[in-house]
Amino acid sequence: MYDRFNRRINYLRISVTDRCNLRCRYCMPAEGIKLISHEEILSYDEITDFTRVAVNMGIDKVRLTGGEPLVRKDLPVLVEMLAGLKGIKDLSMTTNGTLLGKYAQQLARAGLGRVNVSIDSMDPFKFTWLTRGGRLDDTLEGIDAAIENGLTPVKLNCVVKESKDEPDARMVTSFAEKKGLEVRYIRQMDLGRGEFGVVEGGDGGNCARCNRLRLTSDGKVKPCLFSELEYDIGKPGAEQAIIMALKNKPACGTVNRRGYFYNIGG
Ligand code: SAM
Ligand code: SF4
């Protein structure tokens, strides 16, 4: 499918939850987050039904994200449901990795193709500070579990202030080199101020080549991370919501004062 600027849209990012077991400083406030109630969260059947429609319309690349996707109960069940849809060529997940040690094997068996793991520092103290309580070792264990279970290529997402030459990013780079992993350096963004940048080593942030739609965990299709536009899949239905999102997908993002990374999925 194509939007009005003739961009081919084939990539769907699905946020399965707005909850997270970490509190990264650039993503979530320390406290006072208004979470979506359980009744509003799409069920696995609803997510799968929506994705089926999206795939029939031309989506062939699907990524699960969040919040932290692995804090949602029985995530491998959803993976298996999505992996059963014909037409998805690339089924992946973005995760902070902390629960991959526990779930990598089940996820691989359920049909997940690969993972991106977020890691911004190799210094255990800095990591704990950045994530407000996370343990670097949990994420490292998760990365190893992903590799062992063939969730490859495992890519690392590293948020940087300005560039990959910063000390923390350089440590991530040398770790990745040792492990033979690719790194995507994501410039720290601010949705409310409209500050976004091109992802080095990835495709994000390049509006002219944007191929994405997003589904939020409470059932809204978002045509752009840096826009407040969203279309409910409940009332007009999945197909209409996608058509509206395609029709109104902006040429380029501006600002989004209502959404956050943790509830849209980055
Ligand atoms: N919890 C998972 C994780 O951390 O990978 C998935 C969700 S997280 C919102 C998705 C991606 O968005 C992560 O790679 C994270 O580093 C990135 N992210 C979060 N806040 C950001 C910000 N303000 N600027 C740039 N990237 C951000
Ligand atoms: Fe959680 Fe991921 Fe946001 Fe960190 S970046 S707070 S791990 S959702």
Side-chain angles (χ1 to χ4, degrees), residues 29-262:
E31 49 199 28
I33 303 160
K34 199 174 157 284
L35 291 170
I36 299 169
S37 72
H38 284 293
E39 299 81 69
E40 285 174 281
I41 296 273
L42 294 182
S43 68
Y44 288 170
D45 280 329
E46 287 169 326
I47 294 175
T48 308
D49 288 346
F50 174 85
T51 309
R52 186 179 297 111
V53 172
V55 168
N56 286 337
M57 292 172 78
I59 294 293
D60 60 15
K61 183 175 167 180
V62 173
R63 178 178 295 275
L64 300 177
T65 177
E68 172 48 41
L70 290 173
V71 303
R72 181 139 176 200
K73 197 163 169 271
D74 299 328
L75 194 76
V77 171
L78 175 65
V79 168
E80 193 167 353
M81 291 163 80
L82 295 176
L85 297 177
K86 286 211 173 60
I88 301 179
K89 293 186 193 142
D90 183 13
L91 180 58
S92 65
M93 177 166 64
T94 299
T95 169
N96 62 35
T98 52
L99 294 169
L100 272 178
K102 187 169 171 195
Y103 289 116
Q105 189 177 51
Q106 287 180 53
L107 291 166
R109 286 190 179 152
L112 188 71
R114 61 192 181 92
V115 290
N116 281 31
V117 181
S118 300
I119 182 165
D120 306 326
S121 176
M122 300 307 298
D123 172 342
F125 296 101
K126 181 79 179 279
F127 184 94
T128 298
W129 179 82
L130 274 170
T131 57
R132 296 200 188 91
R135 285 182 58 234
L136 177 64
D137 279 349
D138 292 342
T139 292
L140 296 180
E141 248 174 59
I143 291 170
D144 284 338
I147 297 169
E148 277 158 25
N149 287 283
L151 293 174
T152 51
V154 173
K155 297 184 186 173
L156 304 182
N157 283 9
C158 177
V159 171
V160 297
K161 281 252 155 48
E162 295 291 337
S163 86
K164 61 180 185 185
D165 293 327
E166 291 155 18
D168 284 312
R170 289 171 96 129
M171 283 195 280
V172 173
T173 307
S174 48
F175 167 76
E177 278 167 3
K178 270 190 229 130
K179 291 255 173 200
L181 308 176
E182 267 178 53
V183 189
R184 299 161 76 246
Y185 304 91
I186 308 171
R187 197 141 160 212
Q188 190 172 318
M189 307 183 203
D190 188 323
L191 297 180
R193 287 156 42 142
E195 292 170 3
F196 59 101
V198 175
V199 174
E200 272 187 76
D203 305 316
N206 185 343
C207 301
R209 293 180 43 200
C210 185
N211 60 353
R212 305 173 177 198
L213 288 182
R214 293 177 161 82
L215 177 66
T216 62
S217 56
D218 59 347
K220 311 276 189 342
V221 182
K222 292 197 66 72
C224 174
L225 182 58
F226 279 83
S227 152
E228 286 159 21
L229 291 173
E230 56 184 34
Y231 303 94
D232 201 320
I233 67 170
K235 277 272 159 56
E239 189 174 349
Q240 272 310 313
I242 293 172
I243 290 171
M244 291 300 289
L246 281 181
K247 228 186 204 169
N248 295 299
K249 187 172 164 72
C252 199
T254 49
V255 290
N256 183 351
R257 295 205 175 84
R258 289 196 297 163
Y260 300 92
F261 273 79
Y262 71 89

